[in-house]
Amino acid sequence: MNVGKFSVSNPVLISIAMVAILALGAVSLVRLPREAMSDVAFSWVFIAVPYPGASAEEVEKSITIKVEEELADIEHVKEIESNTAQAISFVNVQFDDDISRAEFLRLYQEVRTEFDKVDLPDGTMDPMIEDFSSADFMPIITVNLKGAVSDEVINAAARKLQKQLLDIPNVSKAEIVGGRVREIWVEADRDRMEALGVSLDEVINALKYRNLNVPGGTLEVGARKYLLQTLGEVKSPEQFGTVIVRRRPGQGSIRVSDVASVNRGLAKSVYDVRLDGEKAISVLVSKTNRGNTIRIVDQVRDLVDQFRQTTPEGLSVHFFNDTSLLVHEIVDVLSRNALMGFVTLILVLFAFIGLRNSLITALGIPITFAITFMFMEYYGESLNGNSLFALVMVLGMIVDHAIVIIENSFRHRQLGLSPREAAIVGTNEVIKPVISGTLTTVAAFLPMMLLPGIMGKFMRTIPMIVSLALVASTLEALVFLPSHFAEWGPRVQRTSRGFIAPWQSRFEQLVAVVYRHRYLTLLATVLVIAASGVLSLTIKQDLFAGEEFTMFFIDLKLPIGTPRHVTNNVAARFE
């Protein structure tokens, strides 16, 4: 097929397609999520089993070891890491890094199935089984509540704020840290129990087995069907006192209120949180894969502004770890670099091939980026540090093919052909070299997508976007550029070489000298390459060089067995 002739013969179609691509690309750019880094799904499953009141040794023996043994036979398991502490067991199951997302989801369900087979001891609370992604390690913003108010007031405010935050679109999780959950205390009275001859086990079993709704099947009566169910579940804390512990024929029943008192309360918090030295509660906000960090953080701030108007007196709300600031900084820096590169590119092209040719060539950049943005949205990518770095890096590459075609077409224009004929001939002559050049460059980048491990998942965005942009630039140079050159290209033949003539003459002389001493030049080239290879071994390798941030962390590790209040006091001294 004569690509050049098709492009030149259909200027209206090409112009309409160009406008449509630019419009769709702009829409995709607006809809692309903004975030600090790509959201990478790790092949990990995290299991936490609370066991209140149990020692670390008991938790390990009755929970951790059983869970490890039950999960060990699952295929593709690379490592099972456990951490047992007083009253809780943590188990982290890591699968092979090279499994697909669909395969991991299947294995995740298998983990849940195998975990259900574990015989957990009585007294364990509901386990938590979740998969991990990079978003779990970096919430997009943290909302802190502090003030001289009671624990009930600040915890109620935190739960209210959590519910409102979860209503924001694309917020996946709002986790409360440092809060205390509500609980019901049933405190047995030893003297009353001994007087009535009731044991503590009887009270426990009564609360456990009589606080239930038991299904009883269905009952068919004529043309009607009734669902039978025994309702015994407690609806309010006061009803715990009415639970029957023992029935005494002819003497009535012994109820929980006869041998114990029922009180409302707050459980001890798992974590202690302080802000500026004051006790606080944090709400960590995380987003979904398709969420826009900047937009969500703005919505969180608007919601908190409204929430402040209803907070009790003495309670204040503060923000911490706002990642949208980092996203703004990354986007601004890379956007400025891209704009500077774009302007520099136009100036260089103007100096060598003239104003019209430079503008026609530069027009391919927004078209290429528009196509790339559409594919990024289709594949679920986002605008982050890696993707913007790839776009800036490929900025100079995407005009290579356009320069080749525009220069060849301009050469034919100087030889006397009309703009239309010059565009057709100039394009068709270099189609194979242009496509070959694209394939060789793509072949150099695509293997980066095969990097193994977590690092490979983080890096895969760069080669994918570079390859997409190169293919899109080739399409633009072969299909769009010939039509633009024929319609908007220079109408007057240009024979003068301008200011570049003296430099071109000197370059011709240099090439002649190099060719006369070609064997010496080849030897020098080999020596330089060899020396470069040797010197590269002495260069420090650091894929992600250290960069200064506006905050830092201090990790404190105290001897095993250190009481919690002692740890708190040490941390307070550092604060």
Side-chain angles (χ1 to χ4, degrees):
M1 180 180 179
N2 194 325
V3 178
K5 185 175 181 180
F6 170 80
S7 175
V8 172
S9 302
N10 299 275
V12 177
L13 174 63
I14 296 299
S15 298
I16 293 175
M18 178 187 69
V19 173
I21 289 174
L22 291 175
L24 294 175
V27 172
S28 296
L29 176 60
V30 172
R31 294 168 57 178
L32 281 174
R34 271 78 165 170
E35 54 190 0
M37 65 177 66
S38 302
D39 187 15
V40 176
F42 303 137
S43 301
W44 299 353
V45 177
F46 181 75
I47 303 173
V49 184
Y51 190 9
S55 65
E57 292 77 9
E58 180 64 24
V59 173
E60 181 179 29
K61 178 181 177 182
S62 58
I63 297 179
T64 305
I65 294 177
K66 290 182 179 180
V67 173
E68 289 178 341
E69 292 176 348
E70 194 67 46
L71 303 180
D73 296 333
I74 298 178
E75 59 180 342
H76 297 297
V77 171
K78 182 174 68 174
E79 183 180 280
I80 298 179
E81 179 184 356
S82 63
N83 184 8
T84 305
Q86 181 178 349
I88 194 164
S89 170
F90 298 100
V91 179
N92 182 23
V93 184
Q94 300 183 21
F95 293 96
D96 295 334
D97 295 324
D98 56 351
I99 62 175
S100 64
R101 184 62 181 171
E103 178 69 9
F104 170 72
L105 293 177
R106 184 188 68 81
L107 293 172
Y108 174 69
Q109 294 301 324
E110 186 174 348
V111 168
R112 300 186 70 95
T113 302
E114 294 297 322
F115 178 81
D116 290 339
K117 300 178 183 179
V118 178
D119 183 19
L120 297 177
D122 293 337
T124 57
M125 300 178 66
D126 292 337
M128 179 184 68
I129 306 177
E130 294 184 354
D131 60 339
F132 257 38
S133 71
S134 58
D136 296 308
F137 294 101
M138 184 180 291
I140 60 175
I141 192 171
T142 301
V143 186
N144 297 298
L145 294 84
K146 71 170 186 175
V149 295
S150 64
D151 288 344
E152 289 78 6
V153 171
I154 191 172
N155 278 275
R159 289 191 295 270
K160 179 181 177 182
L161 178 61
Q162 181 190 37
K163 293 179 180 179
Q164 295 179 6
L165 290 172
L166 290 173
D167 290 335
I168 296 177
N170 292 317
V171 169
S172 63
K173 184 166 56 176
E175 180 183 2
I176 296 178
V177 178
R180 300 174 61 186
V181 298
R182 289 173 294 185
E183 64 180 11
I184 307 300
W185 281 88
V186 180
E187 300 183 55
D189 188 314
R190 177 182 296 180
D191 295 336
R192 291 158 62 184
M193 291 174 60
E194 290 178 352
L196 295 174
V198 176
S199 67
L200 185 60
D201 287 340
E202 287 184 271
V203 178
I204 294 175
N205 290 332
L207 293 172
K208 181 187 297 184
Y209 297 113
R210 297 186 181 179
N211 181 26
L212 297 172
N213 291 334
V214 182
T218 58
L219 176 65
E220 294 186 12
V221 180
R224 295 181 177 272
K225 181 183 290 186
Y226 298 93
L227 179 65
L228 302 181
Q229 188 177 24
T230 302
L231 301 179
E233 188 176 37
V234 174
K235 299 296 184 182
S236 65
E238 291 74 18
Q239 292 182 357
F240 278 104
T242 64
V243 173
I244 297 175
V245 178
R246 182 194 297 173
R247 296 184 183 275
R248 297 181 299 179
Q251 301 182 21
S253 302
I254 300 176
R255 301 179 184 273
V256 170
S257 58
D258 297 328
V259 295
S261 59
V262 181
N263 303 302
R264 299 171 183 262
L266 295 173
K268 291 183 178 180
S269 61
V270 179
Y271 302 99
D272 290 326
V273 178
R274 283 193 296 272
L275 180 65
D276 296 331
E278 298 183 35
K279 187 176 180 181
I281 293 180
S282 297
V283 183
L284 281 58
V285 182
S286 301
K287 70 177 187 66
T288 61
N289 291 343
R290 300 300 300 164
N292 188 317
T293 297
I294 297 176
R295 184 178 298 119
I296 294 176
V297 169
D298 290 341
Q299 292 175 330
V300 169
R301 288 183 174 274
D302 292 340
L303 186 148
V304 170
D305 288 339
Q306 299 176 7
F307 180 77
R308 284 193 177 106
Q309 301 175 6
T310 62
T311 55
E313 184 178 356
L315 184 65
S316 58
V317 186
H318 307 269
F319 295 105
F320 179 74
N321 195 25
D322 185 351
T323 59
S324 68
L325 301 178
L326 178 61
V327 175
H328 274 298
E329 182 179 356
I330 293 175
V331 172
D332 290 345
V333 170
L334 293 176
S335 298
R336 286 196 301 269
N337 291 342
L339 180 60
M340 291 173 59
F342 181 73
V343 174
T344 304
L345 182 64
I346 293 178
L347 294 177
V348 172
L349 292 174
F350 168 69
F352 286 92
I353 61 177
L355 178 60
R356 286 200 178 190
N357 288 339
S358 64
L359 294 177
I360 294 173
T361 304
L363 182 60
I365 296 178
I367 297 175
T368 299
F369 278 179
I371 297 174
T372 305
F373 290 146
M374 287 189 288
F375 276 99
M376 287 175 62
E377 183 186 14
Y378 177 78
Y379 285 111
E381 295 295 330
S382 63
L383 281 180
N384 53 69
N386 285 353
S387 60
L388 286 172
F389 170 75
L391 292 173
V392 173
M393 181 174 62
V394 81
L395 180 62
M397 302 181 192
I398 58 179
V399 295
D400 291 349
H401 305 322
I403 292 175
V404 172
I405 293 177
I406 206 79
E407 177 63 25
N408 196 43
S409 300
F410 185 66
R411 181 177 64 85
H412 284 288
R413 184 76 177 93
Q414 290 179 317
L415 294 176
L417 296 181
S418 65
R420 178 185 176 91
E421 293 173 342
I424 296 175
V425 175
T427 301
N428 291 336
E429 283 183 348
V430 295
I431 286 180
K432 291 183 179 179
V434 165
I435 295 178
S436 300
T438 300
L439 294 178
T440 54
T441 309
V442 169
F445 278 95
L446 277 183
M448 291 179 62
M449 297 185 65
L450 303 179
L451 289 174
I454 301 301
M455 185 56 66
K457 293 182 179 181
F458 274 105
M459 295 295 294
R460 63 176 293 273
T461 302
I462 296 176
M464 185 186 74
I465 293 179
V466 169
S467 300
L468 284 175
L470 288 173
V471 172
S473 69
T474 304
L475 176 66
E476 187 279 333
L478 295 177
V479 177
F480 290 84
L481 190 143
S483 178
H484 296 160
F485 183 85
E487 295 295 322
W488 307 330
R491 294 292 186 265
V492 180
Q493 299 181 22
R494 181 181 173 186
T495 57
S496 175
R497 293 181 296 178
F499 76 94
I500 201 173
W503 299 100
Q504 187 170 353
S505 299
R506 291 188 177 90
F507 180 73
E508 292 174 353
Q509 296 172 7
L510 176 62
V511 171
V513 173
V514 169
Y515 184 75
R516 284 198 302 269
H517 303 86
R518 51 188 176 276
Y519 298 110
L520 181 61
T521 303
L522 180 60
L523 177 61
T525 303
V526 173
L527 291 176
V528 169
I529 294 175
S532 300
V534 174
L535 292 175
S536 65
L537 300 177
T538 63
I539 299 176
K540 181 181 178 181
Q541 298 181 5
D542 188 1
L543 184 59
F544 293 104
E547 185 176 350
E548 294 184 359
F549 285 91
T550 56
M551 67 178 180
F552 61 91
F553 299 89
I554 300 177
D555 294 327
L556 304 177
K557 185 175 182 181
L558 277 69
I560 297 176
T562 303
R564 182 169 175 174
H565 70 276
V566 175
T567 304
N568 255 326
N569 293 336
V570 174
R573 288 164 54 191
F574 278 85
E575 294 175 13

